[in-house]
Amino acid sequence: MPPVPSSARVSLPLSSPRFLWLPSSSVLSGKTCIPTMSFSASTSSSSSKAVGSSQEDLQDENLLQVLKYHQQTKHSYERYARGPHGLDWANQPNPFRRYISAPLLPLLHFPTKTEPKCLNQAVKASVSDAPLYSSVYMSLPPTKPISYSTISQIFYDSLALSAWKTAGYSTWSLRVNPSSGNLHPTEAYIIAPPIESLSSSAFVAHYAPKEHSLELRAEIPSGFFPKFFPKNSFLIGLSSIFWREAWKYGERAFRYCNHDIGHAIAAVAMAAAGLGWDVKLLDGLGYQELKKLMGLECFPDFKIPSRPIRGKFPEIEFEHPDCLLLVFRNGGGQQFDVNYEELSSWISEFSKLEWKGKPNSLSKEHICWDIIYRTAEAVKKPLNVGGRLAIYPFKRSGVCSEGSYKGFTVREVVRKRRSAVDMDKVTVIQRDTFYQILLHCLPSGCGNGGKQRRQLALPFRALPWDAEVHAALFVHRVAGLKKGLYFLVRNEDHFHELKNSMSSNFAWAKPEGCPDHLPLYELDRSLYDTIAKQVSCHQDIASHGCFSLGMVARFETLLHEKNAWMYPRLFWETGVLGQVLYLEAHAVGISATGIGCYFDDPESPPSSCRVDGCHASRVSYTENLWWELRQVPFHFDWEDSGKSSYEEPVLMHRLLGLKGSNFQSLYHFTVGGPVLDKRIMSLPAYPGPDIDA
């Protein structure tokens, strides 16, 4: 097993079972980019589209683009979504964005447990009064003031490095927030009022996780926060660099970037909860407002080519502004509103600020998968002038097995969370532990006497829309619960539609011992371990754990109701749910990982898998051992006809009996006992090794 060459800049285990690298046989040639449209829209949401198109026509056009992307980027037994033919090590994107020449403001570091050598009183206090992980689901602890120490803490416990890993000649970093392939397309910004020891004026800064520091980008008008936001609040903006994911995953990267935004939203919400703070997505602002607020106008316009193409496109490394989070001291009673129209007017003046720093280059050469950028254009959200910010009281989550938790603090759980690379096929959890994990996956909490619908419990309360994502669960090793297929209904308004849309053979029975307030249903008693593996691209990790699941979202009907901009938000919700599963698994003493490779539908239209007349790959994937950079045969015996040796492919939607696009599977997950690779050594996150890995 040859090691990765020392010259390779490795920042990830190459084939995390979460997201298989499925290379394409397509040949991308040519160096010329064909300008077809500017990625950066003007202040009018329709100005970059065909002149004279009505708003309704534009919405239909955007929706068609989203549906095309979603269908084209599905994996099936007949083909995989288009991706690179191999891993281009020379152009692996730098995982760390920096703004060259911007002032660097170091933040405080925090141990997970009290240490005698820790002399800083603020750091000691943050450890000694750290709340237990399970307690924050019941109620938020007393709020802490916004200060240099607490700003340091929220980033340290949400978006910072959590460790370095090394094996052979390779070293890579891990972060508190998980990411598909450990590629980390998510960038974060803080927009805050003056904070002692950080800045004497209100400011915008970029978070640099490798240094655990803030890069000061601009000073903003002093009246900005008092005019629009409550006292003791600040903003965190999140953006995505699509190229980081597309380097490995090709066209499917847009999905994974939005999974990661969801993970980051939940990571921020959990870190804030440890400080007694609340978090709310400010979804009334549009794409242009977010771009100006985070200072992302520094990136040049990107011209979308007419087809996938390889070349030198430094502008492809731009950041797409995704969302803005309001972080505030609120335990469940403070009410305020945001005037989005006036706020937008103020933000429009941010273009005139003196922005510091130039973004660093991430790669020398690139591949542009044009459909990613066309879809990102289609989902740009316009300003919602009449939007309202609703702050609902905090709702506690249900409890049926508090003893399942190991007594870890919030920081211990979030910073020691790891993505499992394999499951041991042995570990069994108790039924009550399984139910307890699922209780923390409910959006509305419990004890309010109502149905699950509105997102009121931690960390889902950060999202302003009603729950749209459910979970189809494959139970493998849960003591006291029959193996089989189960379904968690996270919005009970959807129950009858789900039941009528799925197989009529399902029982929809309440499992034995299930809490009354947990809307979990047994669909079928059978052995689903082999099926779970086949659905998840034949990955053992989907069947070797305690349970695995597919996240099923209300889809096309919802997009017609709300518009194309809801598409990435569905993936955000799956990412938030996935983050809860990650944390719950660690808190009860096991592990988890997301799975991005799965089969959901029969073969997609053949025309969607062509690049210059070449088909997408059908025969190979990278083996799970990250250091083996060799291709191995896939699990099928392919004939010249292109058909699999399996007569009846196991597909997620077919398994559930779903037809059409009213419900779609958007993310898979597995939870169980991890297999630890002792050949990989772990190093502290800070100070990291003296290399740029």
Side-chain angles (χ1 to χ4, degrees):
M1 293 183 293
V4 177
S6 59
S7 59
R9 186 177 69 223
V10 179
S11 65
L12 64 155
L14 290 182
S15 187
S16 164
R18 298 182 60 217
F19 300 80
L20 286 179
W21 168 55
L22 300 162
S24 168
S25 59
S26 307
V27 178
L28 295 169
S29 60
K31 298 287 184 178
T32 304
C33 177
I34 305 172
T36 57
M37 75 171 66
S38 170
F39 191 86
S40 298
S42 68
T43 54
S44 168
S45 63
S46 61
S47 62
S48 64
K49 303 294 184 177
V51 178
S53 294
S54 69
Q55 188 65 26
E56 185 175 342
D57 290 340
L58 177 60
Q59 292 175 359
D60 289 343
E61 181 184 339
N62 289 340
L63 183 56
L64 285 174
Q65 175 62 39
V66 163
L67 296 176
K68 175 186 176 182
Y69 173 83
H70 188 70
Q71 187 68 17
Q72 181 170 321
T73 57
K74 288 181 177 180
H75 294 318
S76 77
Y77 272 50
E78 298 299 319
R79 67 157 190 99
Y80 287 99
R82 292 186 294 189
H85 187 272
L87 291 176
D88 181 7
W89 293 112
N91 291 298
Q92 181 185 1
N94 187 334
F96 301 112
R97 165 130 286 164
R98 290 295 307 275
Y99 284 88
I100 300 168
S101 79
L104 194 65
L105 311 174
L107 298 175
L108 295 174
H109 295 246
F110 301 84
T112 54
K113 295 182 179 180
T114 304
E115 301 173 7
K117 64 180 180 180
C118 178
L119 302 179
N120 187 300
Q121 294 302 314
V123 173
K124 279 188 176 182
S126 77
V127 177
S128 61
D129 61 359
L132 293 179
Y133 167 78
S134 59
S135 71
V136 296
Y137 287 92
M138 302 300 293
S139 64
L140 296 180
T143 60
K144 292 189 176 182
I146 293 176
S147 65
Y148 172 49
S149 174
T150 53
I151 292 295
S152 299
Q153 189 172 336
I154 192 172
F155 281 106
Y156 193 75
D157 291 341
S158 62
L159 303 170
L161 302 189
S162 58
W164 287 84
K165 297 288 184 177
T166 182
Y169 295 103
S170 300
T171 303
W172 64 95
S173 61
L174 303 181
R175 301 196 197 183
V176 176
N177 56 311
S179 172
S180 50
N182 200 30
L183 294 167
H184 289 285
T186 307
E187 296 292 330
Y189 295 81
I190 180 173
I191 304 96
I195 298 174
E196 187 178 354
S197 299
L198 273 179
S199 176
S200 58
S201 59
F203 65 96
V204 179
H206 170 254
Y207 178 61
K210 186 169 182 279
E211 294 76 15
H212 184 50
S213 299
L214 296 178
E215 294 180 295
L216 184 62
R217 297 288 332 282
E219 295 181 353
I220 62 178
S222 58
F224 180 74
F225 271 90
K227 184 172 183 62
F228 296 105
F229 302 108
K231 188 178 180 180
N232 296 314
S233 67
F234 61 95
L235 305 170
I236 290 180
L238 300 176
S239 65
S240 295
I241 303 175
F242 300 139
W243 164 239
R244 281 202 185 123
E245 286 293 319
W247 170 78
K248 182 177 180 182
Y249 294 119
E251 290 185 343
R252 210 166 158 90
F254 186 73
R255 294 174 176 236
Y256 300 160
C257 287
N258 286 294
H259 284 152
D260 287 359
I261 288 294
H263 288 309
I265 290 172
V268 170
M270 292 302 298
L275 294 162
W277 298 345
D278 210 347
V279 173
K280 198 69 176 181
L281 181 66
L282 293 181
D283 218 19
L285 292 176
Y287 174 89
Q288 288 299 323
E289 286 75 29
L290 299 186
K291 184 177 180 180
K292 293 177 184 292
L293 189 63
M294 296 185 223
L296 302 183
E297 291 184 309
C298 63
F299 295 98
D301 289 352
F302 176 58
K303 303 294 184 179
I304 305 175
S306 60
R307 58 184 174 84
I309 196 167
R310 185 192 303 272
K312 293 183 178 181
F313 313 123
E315 63 273 19
I316 205 174
E317 298 176 359
F318 74 93
E319 295 179 29
H320 176 88
D322 291 293
C323 64
L324 188 68
L325 303 173
L326 175 66
V327 184
F328 56 100
R329 297 175 62 187
N330 177 58
Q334 183 178 4
Q335 292 295 321
F336 52 89
D337 204 356
V338 174
N339 185 328
Y340 283 115
E341 184 175 19
E342 192 173 0
L343 176 59
S344 174
S345 178
W346 272 62
I347 292 175
S348 66
E349 298 297 312
F350 276 43
S351 300
K352 302 174 183 178
L353 297 177
E354 182 183 352
W355 292 93
K356 301 177 176 67
K358 179 182 178 182
N360 62 336
S361 175
L362 306 180
S363 301
K364 293 181 179 179
E365 293 189 356
H366 315 82
I367 297 177
C368 173
W369 302 94
D370 59 295
I371 196 170
I372 292 176
Y373 303 95
R374 297 185 192 283
T375 306
E377 181 82 11
V379 301
K380 287 180 178 178
K381 189 178 185 297
L383 173 69
N384 183 2
V385 174
R388 307 287 294 179
L389 178 64
I391 307 295
Y392 295 104
F394 182 97
K395 292 295 183 182
R396 66 180 181 86
S397 297
V399 178
C400 73
S401 182
E402 180 67 22
S404 296
Y405 297 109
K406 304 301 181 182
F408 298 136
T409 63
V410 173
R411 176 170 301 134
E412 287 178 297
V413 172
V414 300
R415 290 196 56 80
K416 292 184 178 180
R417 177 215 62 81
R418 299 290 183 268
S419 298
V421 296
D422 198 3
M423 297 296 182
D424 61 15
K425 204 178 179 180
V426 174
T427 299
V428 176
I429 60 172
Q430 296 301 310
R431 183 180 67 190
D432 285 349
T433 299
F434 176 68
Y435 291 153
Q436 181 60 62
I437 291 173
L438 296 186
L439 283 171
H440 281 181
C441 293
L442 296 180
S444 305
C446 74
N448 54 4
K451 293 181 177 180
Q452 295 297 322
R453 180 177 64 88
R454 183 167 288 159
Q455 310 210 67
L456 306 172
L458 188 70
F460 307 104
R461 60 185 286 102
L463 305 178
W465 57 85
D466 291 344
E468 301 290 352
V469 175
H470 310 277
L473 299 119
F474 304 103
V475 171
H476 307 310
R477 295 169 185 84
V478 178
L481 192 62
K482 295 292 184 180
K483 295 184 178 182
L485 180 64
Y486 294 76
F487 203 90
L488 180 66
V489 180
R490 297 182 65 254
N491 185 331
E492 293 181 272
D493 285 354
H494 301 169
F495 176 80
H496 292 293
E497 185 181 0
L498 282 163
K499 188 174 181 179
N500 293 333
S501 299
M502 293 165 65
S503 172
S504 60
N505 296 322
F506 289 152
W508 291 95
K510 200 74 172 176
E512 184 178 353
C514 182
D516 292 338
H517 49 282
L518 178 62
L520 176 70
Y521 300 90
E522 177 189 298
L523 301 184
D524 181 52
R525 290 188 182 184
S526 186
L527 297 179
Y528 276 85
D529 50 351
T530 300
I531 290 175
K533 171 182 174 179
Q534 291 175 346
V535 165
S536 293
C537 296
H538 289 260
Q539 298 179 83
D540 288 332
I541 200 167
S543 62
H544 288 182
C546 301
F547 66 94
S548 59
L549 59 98
M551 299 183 195
V552 178
R554 193 163 71 99
F555 191 71
E556 189 166 350
T557 302
L558 177 68
L559 296 182
H560 279 288
E561 290 173 0
K562 294 199 172 182
N563 214 323
W565 51 260
M566 191 65 195
Y567 181 66
R569 284 158 178 78
L570 289 175
F571 287 93
W572 299 356
E573 188 175 335
T574 65
V576 174
L577 178 56
Q579 186 72 356
V580 172
L581 289 167
Y582 267 126
L583 302 182
E584 286 290 299
H586 184 82
V588 302
I590 51 178
S591 191
T593 196
I595 298 174
C597 185
Y598 53 86
F599 302 125
D600 43 14
D601 281 338
E603 182 183 10
S604 302
S607 61
S608 67
C609 65
R610 303 268 184 174
V611 181
D612 294 337
C614 296
H615 287 283
S617 173
R618 294 183 279 188
V619 296
S620 62
Y621 72 106
T622 302
E623 205 172 29
N624 286 340
L625 297 177
W626 65 268
W627 53 83
E628 291 193 34
L629 305 182
R630 56 185 174 84
Q631 298 304 304
V632 296
F634 198 55
H635 296 227
F636 305 143
D637 296 324
W638 295 100
E639 303 296 337
D640 292 338
S641 62
K643 293 183 179 180
S644 138
S645 60
Y646 291 90
E647 293 297 328
E648 286 293 330
V650 181
L651 309 167
M652 191 64 185
H653 296 158
R654 177 182 292 173
L655 178 67
L656 296 175
L658 294 172
K659 297 178 181 179
S661 298
N662 282 346
F663 291 95
Q664 293 282 286
S665 182
L666 301 183
Y667 196 12
H668 285 215
F669 228 83
T670 184
V671 178
V675 174
L676 303 179
D677 192 334
K678 297 181 180 179
R679 292 169 291 185
I680 299 178
M681 185 170 64
S682 184
L683 302 172
Y686 304 102
D690 188 23
I691 58 171
D692 183 14

